[in-house]
Amino acid sequence: MTSTTTADPSDFRCFCDYPTVDVAHATSGPLAGMDFAVKDLFDVAGYPTGCGHPNWPGLDAPSLATAAVVTTLLEAGAAFGGKAVTDEIAYSLNGRNAHYGTPVNPAAPDRVPGGSSSGPAVATAAGLVDFAIGTDTGGSVRVPASYCGLFGIRPTHGRLALDGCMPLAPSYDTVGWFARTGAQLEAVGDVLLANDPHPPAPYCLVLTTALDLVEVRTRATIAAALRRVTRHFRRVFSVPDILLVEEDWSLTFRISQGAEIWTAMGPWVEDRKPEFGPGVRERMQWARSLLPDDVAFHRERRETIRSQLRARIGPDTVFVLPTTPAAAPLLTTRDEDLEDFRNKLIALTCMAGIGGLPQVTMPLGTAPNGAPVGLSLIGAPGADRTLLALAAAIDAERQAESRH
């Protein structure tokens, strides 16, 4: 591991406690000299895959093959830096794990790191690796990136293969990744999305209904971040009529996601009867209880919302919105309060999920409490590299300004 810090990895509790196995990688390539962590949902040959739960079958024996996305990175010269912890079966946005503990948020040690890609985010933010691979279903890359002060991406749904990765809700699941700079995030995208076009997107739509979800004391921070971002576009428009705060949107996401989660996890739950921690336990029970008619209604509703969203965003247009409604909650926050905050989060994160749209989050602000907050760009399907180029340009400008 070519870590960029002298810190002890155990200080951050972000890596899985597995015996070390050599994982070969190319000695040259576009990512040579960089190392990366892998969320413990992905198979890596010689390592078990625990998915955040001690009763997961993947712990019974080491994997025989390596997930496709991990193989691509190894072939590009990146070195494997370890498997990183995840929330239980990735069904959380907080970063707490009742079985393995909570990784330490390097940007705000008194606050949760966000999940479910908690370990990969923390390893990257702590400088233990150059970048990390996670998954994003309901916000599991975007949320910890915002909480830990990182760049992160949820690609267009279906763009990257999830072979060798635990399925959660397949119609929402995506590979995602973290980096500390926009250039690093783009460099990984150049490998994973190598053949994708990246035309400019000169038009920006600021989603004012999303801004209304931000806590009052953080709004000035988000406003300053918006000013930095919008000057990179030729024309900027305020859009008050995309009702992402409408209850139907987040409810539609949660029900359609929950039904898929029970389909994926039900056989394991019935067979092994695993114990779940707070939050995950209640969500799994709720997913199990969903009625077929409700699921069918919200699946149809999802297609309606997706059509509406895609009609509003073209290849030359980018939506801008806050990544989260506030900085990360304190570690002392009660479980029931975290659940309330999770529902507010989903009102923001469900948009890209329902639309199958790519989203990049950027660490462009600090809340009054000193913790980071993110601002996001959402693009049309297939506009992943356009968003990555924008994020890299915005970050380069910010770094140049800080040097003067």
Side-chain angles (χ1 to χ4, degrees):
M1 180 185 299
T2 58
S3 69
T4 57
T5 179
T6 58
D8 187 335
S10 64
D11 293 342
F12 297 97
R13 302 194 296 270
C14 56
F15 285 109
C16 300
D17 187 20
Y18 297 147
T20 301
V21 175
D22 182 57
V23 177
H25 65 278
T27 56
S28 62
L31 300 180
M34 301 176 73
D35 61 357
F36 68 106
V38 175
K39 185 177 185 177
D40 194 28
L41 300 189
F42 293 93
D43 293 340
V44 176
Y47 283 85
T49 302
C51 299
H53 200 287
N55 285 340
W56 188 255
L59 288 173
D60 295 345
S63 300
L64 299 177
T66 298
V69 66
V70 178
T71 298
T72 299
L73 296 169
L74 295 170
E75 291 174 346
F80 175 71
K83 297 199 83 174
V85 302
T86 175
D87 294 9
E88 290 180 85
I89 60 168
Y91 199 8
S92 176
L93 291 172
N94 297 320
R96 287 177 169 176
N97 188 307
H99 308 284
Y100 301 118
T102 303
V104 177
N105 182 341
D110 60 339
R111 297 176 180 274
V112 300
S116 62
S117 304
S118 54
V122 167
T124 306
L128 302 174
V129 291
D130 294 299
F131 68 96
I133 296 299
T135 61
D136 190 304
T137 300
S140 290
V141 165
R142 293 163 289 164
V143 170
S146 181
Y147 288 175
C148 293
L150 295 169
F151 289 82
I153 180 173
R154 172 198 170 87
T156 299
H157 183 262
R159 172 60 185 85
L160 294 175
L162 280 159
D163 300 15
C165 180
M166 182 205 85
L168 182 66
S171 72
Y172 290 112
D173 294 346
T174 62
V175 175
W177 60 95
F178 303 93
R180 290 186 298 279
T181 70
Q184 289 173 318
L185 196 78
E186 185 178 31
V188 177
D190 288 344
V191 169
L192 295 179
L193 307 167
N195 298 319
D196 290 7
H198 46 99
Y203 305 116
C204 168
L205 304 181
V206 178
L207 304 185
T208 55
T209 45
L211 299 178
D212 293 339
L213 288 174
V214 176
E215 68 170 8
V216 173
R217 61 180 178 170
T218 305
R219 290 181 182 178
T221 298
I222 293 297
L226 273 172
R227 289 192 292 272
R228 175 178 294 280
V229 167
T230 53
R231 64 193 187 209
H232 285 261
F233 295 88
R234 186 188 309 165
R235 296 286 302 278
V236 178
F237 304 90
S238 293
V239 181
D241 61 338
I242 293 182
L243 300 176
L244 74 166
V245 296
E246 183 182 321
E247 173 65 15
D248 280 353
W249 286 42
S250 57
L251 184 63
T252 289
F253 171 81
R254 288 187 289 115
I255 288 179
S256 55
Q257 179 205 38
E260 291 188 29
I261 289 172
W262 182 250
T263 296
M265 298 294 168
W268 168 62
V269 172
E270 300 288 8
D271 178 47
R272 296 212 178 189
K273 298 179 172 52
E275 291 291 329
F276 293 115
V280 179
R281 180 192 308 118
E282 290 77 15
R283 285 192 289 279
M284 190 60 70
Q285 291 171 346
W286 173 79
R288 182 180 190 173
S289 71
L290 291 171
L291 300 175
D293 286 350
D294 289 340
V295 172
F297 172 83
H298 284 284
R299 283 176 174 163
E300 183 177 347
R301 171 69 171 152
R302 179 180 66 174
E303 295 309 310
T304 300
I305 298 170
R306 175 176 295 194
S307 297
Q308 293 172 347
L309 285 172
R310 292 191 172 198
R312 295 297 299 273
I313 189 165
D316 59 353
T317 304
V318 170
F319 291 150
V320 179
L321 73 165
T323 307
T324 62
L330 291 166
L331 288 167
T332 53
T333 305
R334 299 181 307 166
D335 290 317
E336 52 267 37
D337 292 333
L338 283 175
E339 279 300 295
D340 290 341
F341 191 72
R342 180 178 182 272
N343 291 334
K344 295 177 183 177
L345 274 176
I346 290 176
L348 289 171
T349 62
C350 73
M351 185 175 182
I354 290 175
L357 306 174
Q359 180 172 345
V360 167
T361 179
M362 304 170 290
L364 298 182
T366 303
N369 56 32
V373 290
L375 191 72
S376 280
L377 308 174
I378 292 180
D384 309 57
R385 293 190 69 196
T386 296
L387 300 185
L388 289 169
L390 278 166
I394 291 165
D395 190 35
E397 178 190 72
R398 182 181 63 164
Q399 292 184 48
E401 290 176 357
S402 69
R403 291 193 292 268
H404 293 91

